[in-house]
Amino acid sequence: MTMFHFFNCAILTFGPHAVYYSATPLSEYDTLGTSVKAALVYLGTALVKLVCLATFLKVSENDGFDPYQELLKAVIGFIDVAGLYFALTQLTHRNISQNHKFQAVGLGWAFADSVLHRLAPLWVGARGLEFTWDFILQGLEANANLVLSISLAALGSLMWLRKNKPKTLIPIIYACAGIVATMPSITSYLRRGLGWHFPKVVVFELFTSLSMAFISWQLFSACQRPS
Amino acid sequence: MALSKNPGGHRGMQESMYSVIALVFILVACVELCDAAAAIDVYRLIQYDMSGSAYGSRFAALNHHAASLHFPPGADLSRAVLIIPLRELNITFVREYINQKKPLGGLLFLLPDIFSFENGGNKQVHEKEQLKNLLAELEQLLIHANIPYPVYFAFENDEIDTVLADIKKNDAIGQPATATTGGYKLVIPTPEPKKVASPTITNIQGWLSGLKADGDTNQLPTIAIVASYDTFGAAPPLSVGSDSNGSGVVALLEIARLFSLLYSNPKTRGRYNLLFGLTSGGPYNYNGTQKWLRSFDQRLRESIDYAICLNSIGSWDNELWIHVSKPPENAYIKQIFEGFSNVAEEMDIKVGLKHKKINISNPRVAWEHEQFSRLRVTAATLSEISTAPELLQGTGGLYDSRQFVNETAITRGVKLVAESLARHIYGHQGKNVQIFADGGSLAVNPAYIQSWLDLLSQTPRVAPFLSKNDPFVMALKKELADHTDEVNMQHEVLEGVFTFYDSTSARLNIYQVASVTFDLLLLLVLGSYLIVLFSFLVITTRGLDDLISLFRRPPSRKVKTA
């Protein structure tokens, strides 16, 4: 039974990535290599972030919200953005269109994130006899993260790869990118500072990820029109 | 050159392979360490064979769902564990279940805090007595039954109370419904219980020599004071026997201390030797006492004037009993009884004499003095109990905890015995002399009694589970050695009539589990979610036609003409 639960939570956490890859034209254009490279870049970024956090962050005794520490974490979070920039611009990709490049990079990024942060707790926790809702909520969080990563990659590609953008939209693009990039800090503030429970936080994440995705989709199609 | 390099490389790779495999095993094992809703210490009902018949709970491992007393009538409990708090116990219900051999997955009894040493506060006295009697009755029922499923005892605490409340709520509405509102699983992963090989019983004796006048070659007479220190109860780790016979042991130690003070000075040393005996094997027809007496030299045995056995003197108010097996008209018995009565009168205690004849053919030995009498040594037992207990009854079980013992009772008992003995030894019978007067240097020390009583109330003393060099036995030996001239230990093997099994305590894990239907439902929901996601993505990125074309294979390909 408990392996069953592990299987359920695993397909909730990792299934959407596979479905996204196979459902969209990504599979037709065989962009797996791009995704894999993006995943590796994520791993490298995670390592750099870890080292920075270990060096600069103090270990706090209580689980409260320390604004200074959270600010520091947010700054370190921008290393994420730098990593994404590297993955989008510096890596050599096969000749694939803009459209598919950001999707593949976002997908690889989100998949690596899920594996790194959610596979170990799932393996250790979901197979025990004790039942908690935590792993299902974690899976939903992974889904929200996927959407967020793809929107961040979209905005990133708009910022760095597209040269001709309508002038009015540029600040909006940067603002949205900023919001999406600081999502981790926002969720941790909600959880620690305001004391929200996990289900509430997950609902919030899902809602914001969908709205961000919608906004970035609109921005992307708006930027595509002039050409 | 190339050849020599490779083996090193291979070895390095092998080592890293091994470390990876080890890591995988550790990860796999990690699942066992995941935390449960609650984990508590539980104590198993004793499992023993007596003359070939099996008694007690015959199984130890447990892996079933939990149910409470509010289970829907007609429910199948053969794979359920009934959790019964003592306060809600209906003894006829349990008796019915056991006697009619109804199938059950297991039993878990929850005992209130007053029976544990750490937490017994002073609750209402009325409730205490009721619970004590109920527990005594339950214990007698369980140890004389053959129960083919695990039976465990645990103390109530907050965690298990909330779990039980939850279980009751679910049972009331029919069945455990979804994952969050029910379905608790109790798991105790212990191995099969094995027989305890050659259980040892250890007798400790202390010898205090009397004053031999110069030129007197005869053996001095001896007075023996004996108490058995081991217990037997439904749950061996909880059988501390504060009254039976912790009170007797404490009294013996205090008497030894007082007489050692007297005997330390040759001017006050009496003309009697004193033999203090802490015997084991009490619940098993005083087997240890018998072996101890048989080991005596014939001359020593003949030199014993009389023996006083102490049994349960911890919770009496004003009345004590002296039990004898020789008829009361016997001169020695009269002398002993008069000596005790005189002192008792002064102390405002009523002492009664009870005579019970020994039947040599009956192996049942109800009082310790009977073992002496069978070897023709005059002996009597001083006890607060008026009627002879049955086999394995009143042997310091679960209900016999510190709450129910009164130190002042033991103090008065010690004074009674010590004064009577001293008057006999120093020849002051009938005279109103207070040797151990309160406030004097030879006064009975209540602090000593209290500290030893507290220690005894925290030490389970079921003989088969006490090893030869158990720290408690060593402590008793050391204490006796402090008060006497010579201490000896005798190790024997408990007679073959009784066989005991181990696995007496374990850790219970309580898990909250989801039902199978929940998992299947979740799978269905997730499957449909993924299918919907797939179709949504295909429609938005490739178009509806592509989705339909996935399901329909074109029967033939139209050749495109240029």
Side-chain angles (χ1 to χ4, degrees):
Chain A
M1 259 7 93
T2 53
M3 277 308 271
F4 201 163
H5 188 63
F6 168 74
F7 176 72
N8 280 342
C9 294
I11 63 175
L12 176 61
T13 314
F14 303 114
H17 301 87
V19 164
Y20 192 91
Y21 185 80
S22 56
T24 57
L26 289 179
S27 55
E28 278 177 26
Y29 292 104
D30 200 16
T31 52
L32 194 63
T34 314
S35 297
V36 169
K37 282 187 216 169
L40 290 173
V41 172
Y42 180 84
L43 281 173
T45 318
L47 216 67
V48 171
K49 263 172 63 176
L50 209 69
V51 170
C52 288
L53 282 172
T55 318
F56 295 117
L57 222 57
K58 288 196 298 274
V59 176
S60 64
E61 287 82 38
N62 56 342
D63 206 20
F65 183 75
D66 186 358
Y68 182 64
Q69 298 296 319
E70 293 300 322
L71 201 64
L72 211 59
K73 277 195 213 165
V75 168
I76 292 180
F78 274 99
I79 298 180
D80 255 340
V81 180
L84 206 57
Y85 169 79
F86 180 79
L88 277 173
T89 57
Q90 306 294 43
L91 290 180
T92 54
H93 302 292
R94 285 197 356 228
N95 216 351
I96 37 180
S97 72
Q98 286 284 324
N99 211 348
H100 298 140
K101 194 198 285 195
F102 82 81
Q103 285 184 52
V105 168
L107 187 68
W109 194 263
F111 186 72
D113 181 89
S114 284
V115 167
L116 217 58
H117 288 157
R118 297 185 184 90
L119 183 62
L122 207 58
W123 178 254
V124 173
R127 289 193 310 146
L129 275 176
E130 177 79 6
F131 175 82
T132 54
W133 287 103
D134 281 348
F135 299 110
I136 296 177
L137 291 173
Q138 209 179 45
L140 292 174
E141 201 181 6
N143 280 302
N145 199 30
L146 172 64
V147 178
L148 274 176
S149 301
I150 293 184
S151 8
L152 186 61
L155 294 168
S157 81
L158 276 186
M159 286 195 289
W160 302 309
L161 295 177
R162 192 169 288 272
K163 302 306 172 194
N164 46 344
K165 299 182 280 256
K167 289 292 179 215
T168 48
L169 291 179
I170 294 183
I172 306 180
I173 294 174
Y174 279 96
C176 288
I179 294 174
V180 175
T182 52
M183 271 310 277
S185 305
I186 297 174
T187 47
S188 94
Y189 170 69
L190 289 174
R191 198 174 311 181
R192 310 248 199 88
L194 294 182
W196 280 20
H197 289 302
F198 198 28
K200 221 166 157 186
V201 174
V202 171
V203 167
F204 173 78
E205 276 180 7
L206 284 171
F207 181 68
T208 46
S209 61
L210 285 173
S211 42
M212 279 285 122
F214 181 71
I215 293 173
S216 23
W217 179 36
Q218 294 294 15
L219 284 172
F220 203 83
S221 42
C223 289
Q224 257 179 320
R225 253 180 255 130
S227 61
Chain B
M1 245 54 68
L3 233 73
S4 60
K5 261 195 237 162
N6 258 350
H10 267 287
R11 224 178 297 129
M13 223 176 69
Q14 270 183 345
E15 273 165 20
S16 57
M17 276 285 289
Y18 286 142
S19 53
V20 167
I21 292 174
L23 193 63
V24 169
F25 275 126
I26 291 170
L27 278 179
V28 168
C30 269
V31 75
E32 307 299 331
L33 306 172
C34 82
D35 44 341
I40 53 177
D41 289 316
V42 291
Y43 311 98
R44 196 170 74 103
L45 178 66
I46 193 167
Q47 179 182 359
Y48 67 103
D49 297 335
M50 183 167 70
S51 315
S53 318
Y55 293 98
S57 156
R58 309 307 293 180
F59 288 94
L62 193 67
N63 191 343
H64 289 310
H65 284 276
S68 72
L69 281 173
H70 300 273
F71 62 86
D76 176 27
L77 293 174
S78 61
R79 294 190 61 83
V81 178
L82 270 182
I83 304 184
I84 305 180
L86 189 69
R87 290 174 219 272
E88 298 166 25
L89 176 66
N90 179 355
I91 195 96
T92 39
F93 171 81
V94 178
R95 202 189 303 270
E96 190 191 303
Y97 249 81
I98 291 176
N99 291 340
Q100 294 176 10
K101 302 211 183 291
K102 288 193 186 167
L104 194 59
L107 272 174
L108 177 65
F109 290 102
L110 296 179
L111 306 172
D113 269 345
I114 53 174
F115 295 107
S116 88
F117 182 77
E118 298 91 28
N119 306 324
N122 265 326
K123 306 251 175 71
Q124 303 98 343
V125 181
H126 168 68
E127 199 186 81
K128 264 206 287 198
E129 279 304 308
Q130 257 188 349
L131 289 174
K132 180 180 175 197
N133 294 335
L134 188 58
L135 188 53
E137 208 184 325
L138 176 68
E139 212 173 334
Q140 282 302 304
L141 169 65
L142 290 175
I143 60 180
H144 287 119
N146 181 355
I147 305 177
Y149 42 82
V151 178
Y152 280 93
F153 295 92
F155 287 110
E156 285 176 357
N157 64 11
D158 294 326
E159 291 177 317
I160 196 145
D161 281 340
T162 40
V163 166
L164 187 61
D166 230 357
I167 297 175
K168 280 188 193 164
K169 205 166 41 149
N170 293 316
D171 279 345
I173 59 179
Q175 328 175 359
T178 67
T180 47
T181 60
Y184 285 91
K185 201 155 202 213
L186 303 182
V187 179
I188 301 177
T190 61
E192 267 316 294
K194 290 189 291 292
K195 284 192 193 171
V196 172
S198 12
T200 47
I201 48 181
T202 307
N203 298 319
I204 311 170
Q205 72 178 48
W207 180 263
L208 205 55
S209 303
L211 187 69
K212 250 196 180 152
D214 294 331
D216 187 5
T217 49
N218 292 333
Q219 177 92 331
L220 277 180
T222 311
I223 298 181
I225 299 143
V226 193
S228 82
Y229 67 86
D230 71 328
T231 60
F232 180 90
L238 299 177
S239 301
V240 292
S242 301
D243 202 7
S244 311
N245 190 16
S247 53
V249 172
V250 167
L252 186 147
L253 290 175
E254 177 65 0
I255 295 170
R257 186 187 73 86
L258 291 171
F259 275 97
S260 80
L261 284 175
L262 272 176
Y263 275 44
S264 56
N265 187 349
K267 291 210 192 97
T268 51
R269 197 177 296 164
R271 298 262 170 96
Y272 280 81
N273 295 324
L274 286 175
L275 175 62
F276 296 97
L278 284 168
T279 57
S280 181
Y284 322 113
N285 289 327
Y286 293 102
N287 197 286
T289 317
Q290 183 191 51
K291 294 208 157 95
W292 183 52
L293 289 175
R294 292 249 173 89
S295 76
F296 280 179
D297 202 14
Q298 175 80 348
R299 285 204 313 160
L300 173 58
R301 215 182 307 147
E302 284 174 1
S303 78
I304 299 181
D305 241 15
Y306 64 91
I308 300 287
C309 308
L310 301 169
N311 183 351
S312 308
I313 51 173
S315 55
W316 54 277
D317 276 326
N318 278 314
E319 191 169 10
L320 281 176
W321 299 94
I322 296 186
H323 298 265
V324 292
S325 42
K326 290 198 173 156
E329 301 81 40
N330 183 298
Y332 297 117
I333 301 289
K334 262 195 183 161
Q335 195 181 42
I336 300 171
F337 184 61
E338 265 168 29
F340 272 93
S341 306
N342 289 337
V343 181
E345 232 175 273
E346 289 161 27
M347 288 177 68
D348 224 1
I349 305 172
K350 184 163 165 296
V351 175
L353 187 64
K354 281 242 162 171
H355 172 227
K356 178 178 174 286
K357 274 204 215 143
I358 311 177
N359 185 351
I360 300 281
S361 53
N362 184 358
R364 170 77 190 124
V365 178
W367 298 107
E368 197 161 9
H369 71 265
E370 292 183 20
Q371 292 287 16
F372 285 86
S373 302
R374 279 170 196 235
L375 292 170
R376 282 185 271 280
V377 178
T378 310
T381 302
L382 180 70
S383 174
E384 70 201 2
I385 308 170
S386 57
T387 46
E390 298 297 324
L391 180 64
L392 299 178
Q393 190 190 35
T395 50
L398 283 173
Y399 63 89
D400 197 351
S401 64
R402 178 72 179 85
Q403 297 312 304
F404 302 100
V405 179
N406 183 358
E407 301 95 67
T408 28
I410 302 180
T411 314
R412 289 169 80 198
V414 167
K415 190 146 179 247
L416 173 66
V417 176
E419 282 287 350
S420 317
L421 284 177
R423 288 190 194 180
H424 181 94
I425 290 172
Y426 298 107
H428 294 307
Q429 286 98 322
K431 296 189 205 148
N432 192 347
V433 180
Q434 286 267 355
I435 300 178
F436 302 101
D438 294 334
S441 60
L442 282 175
V444 179
N445 187 351
Y448 184 85
I449 289 178
Q450 187 170 19
S451 67
W452 270 97
L453 189 62
D454 284 347
L455 173 65
L456 281 161
S457 303
Q458 285 174 293
T459 318
R461 308 186 293 280
V462 182
F465 304 106
L466 279 180
S467 66
K468 258 191 222 179
N469 299 315
D470 193 84
F472 180 72
V473 174
M474 290 294 134
L476 282 179
K477 177 183 177 199
K478 183 174 175 301
E479 191 64 17
L480 258 191
D482 279 346
H483 301 318
T484 55
D485 297 331
E486 193 189 322
V487 168
N488 285 314
M489 297 232 292
Q490 182 199 14
H491 300 286
E492 295 282 342
V493 176
L494 188 58
E495 288 280 75
V497 175
F498 284 89
T499 317
F500 292 90
Y501 293 80
D502 65 2
S503 200
T504 52
S505 68
R507 194 127 176 101
L508 169 70
N509 291 308
I510 305 179
Y511 297 108
Q512 197 167 18
V513 289
S515 52
V516 184
T517 45
F518 174 79
D519 280 329
L520 286 172
L521 208 67
L522 189 62
L523 183 63
L524 210 65
V525 167
L526 288 177
S528 41
Y529 164 68
L530 287 178
I531 289 173
V532 166
L533 186 68
F534 184 82
S535 343
F536 172 74
L537 288 172
V538 168
I539 291 175
T540 50
T541 53
R542 291 196 255 184
L544 188 57
D545 301 328
D546 263 338
L547 180 65
I548 299 175
S549 72
L550 275 174
F551 296 105
R552 209 182 297 156
R553 295 223 170 276
S556 59
R557 283 204 168 269
K558 282 206 188 117
V559 175
K560 280 215 168 102
T561 51

